[in-house]
Amino acid sequence: MAAHWRSVKHRRWPVVAAAGLLFAALVYVLAVLTRAGQTIENAALRGADQDDVSETDAAWQALGQITVYSLAAAAVVITLVGVLRKRWDLAVAAVGVIVAGQVVVQALKRFVLPRPALVEVTGDYAHNSLPSGHTTIAMTVLFAAVIVVPWKWRGVMLFFVLPWATAIGQYTLTAKWHRLSDTLAADGIALAVAALAAWWLQRKGSLRPHAGPRRAGRVVLVVFWSVVAAGTFALGGVLWGLSLAREGLNADEWVIYLGAGTFASAGSLIAALTYLACWRRIA
């Protein structure tokens, strides 16, 4: 039974990692390498100009709190949790997720992925911003916390960290720091890196099945966010589907922006819930 459990879990992590990378690649191809993708995403950025000033200010404030110092502080806290648990393996894996996530996305954004000029744009619209570093930070911090926090405290951690992490992607659109594709690609890459870290832990025998009772509060929390993820994804589909069907690529920029924001939130939530599902009943 134990051997079968290890075999199943070993297969799960690389599959999730491959799916995350494939999703990020697909997002890049559809959104960056096609004229339609660039046109829609630029329309969403222009639509953000119509958002309420208070929403924009809130987005800038939330994103402004993500700095090198705050990221270092998060890594220190993650490490301390592992040290207090006397689990250096978990601490190394968790901090490795945060560091590797930034190395990968910054390398891709700055040196690897081009943004061809398929539509006529100038200024900030012309440069490549995929993947989003801020979204990657938020998601990798969440995934690192899942790795290092004790099983019985995982629900408490999710209550505080999950809403913040999944909101950052949407904030990057509101502040016009990133396009939708930037956040979605970051979600996929962060998920892949975190899955590989968990695979390493599994292969070295650091994880074990949890046979204790379920925690009702955590189940309620996961169900609630699953419903929110499904609802936001459906809402984004309705907003984009109706608008693009009626007006094509000349669709209302405000509606396109609203749809992009809901898709950004849904993407982060789906990535987070996917990773949590992989950790179900694992201590």
Side-chain angles (χ1 to χ4, degrees):
M1 184 68 177
H4 174 71
W5 181 84
R6 287 194 295 270
S7 175
V8 171
K9 301 306 178 185
H10 280 168
R11 292 195 297 267
R12 176 180 298 181
W13 302 117
V15 168
V16 171
L21 293 176
L22 180 62
F23 175 75
L26 183 62
V27 166
Y28 173 72
V29 170
L30 294 178
V32 179
L33 301 185
T34 67
R35 181 178 181 275
Q38 289 194 13
T39 300
I40 292 172
E41 291 207 298
N42 289 342
L45 284 177
R46 291 190 295 270
D49 290 331
Q50 305 176 41
D51 208 348
D52 188 86
V53 174
S54 62
E55 294 293 330
T56 303
D57 289 344
W60 274 80
Q61 182 177 2
L63 295 173
Q65 293 173 350
I66 300 178
T67 65
V68 173
Y69 302 106
S70 63
L71 182 59
V76 169
V77 171
I78 292 293
T79 303
L80 285 176
V81 174
V83 171
L84 291 174
R85 296 186 62 190
K86 298 180 180 180
R87 294 295 305 273
W88 282 99
D89 52 348
L90 299 184
V92 169
V95 174
V97 168
I98 297 174
V99 175
Q102 283 305 298
V103 170
V104 171
V105 299
Q106 296 302 332
L108 288 174
K109 178 162 55 179
R110 298 175 186 274
F111 307 113
V112 179
L113 300 179
R115 184 176 183 85
L118 303 181
V119 297
E120 186 176 350
V121 293
T122 58
D124 291 339
Y125 294 114
H127 75 282
N128 177 55
S129 54
L130 183 150
S132 165
H134 280 75
T135 302
T136 303
I137 288 174
M139 297 304 293
T140 53
V141 167
L142 171 64
F143 294 152
V146 171
I147 291 174
V148 79
V149 169
W151 187 87
K152 65 180 180 179
W153 292 105
R154 198 175 291 166
V156 176
M157 179 276 297
L158 292 175
F159 182 84
F160 291 102
V161 182
L162 181 58
W164 166 79
T166 56
I168 291 298
Q170 195 275 333
Y171 282 148
T172 63
L173 271 67
T174 301
K176 298 179 64 174
W177 288 19
H178 284 286
R179 303 172 178 88
L180 170 62
S181 60
D182 303 344
T183 70
L184 295 180
D187 290 332
I189 292 171
L191 178 61
V193 171
L196 291 175
W199 190 28
W200 174 72
L201 288 170
Q202 181 66 41
R203 290 181 64 85
K204 71 188 299 294
S206 296
L207 307 181
R208 66 182 187 277
H210 179 79
R214 295 180 179 178
R215 291 186 176 267
R218 186 184 307 171
V219 174
V220 170
L221 188 65
V222 171
V223 170
F224 169 77
W225 284 113
S226 297
V227 172
V228 172
T232 53
F233 183 82
L235 178 59
V238 170
L239 289 171
W240 275 24
L242 294 178
S243 184
L244 293 173
R246 288 198 303 259
E247 305 172 68
L249 295 181
N250 295 318
D252 185 272
E253 294 171 348
W254 171 247
V255 177
I256 295 299
Y257 161 68
L258 292 178
T262 57
F263 278 134
S265 297
S268 294
L269 278 172
I270 291 170
L273 292 169
T274 299
Y275 196 61
L276 286 172
C278 292
W279 280 85
R280 182 175 178 269
R281 310 298 290 176
I282 296 179

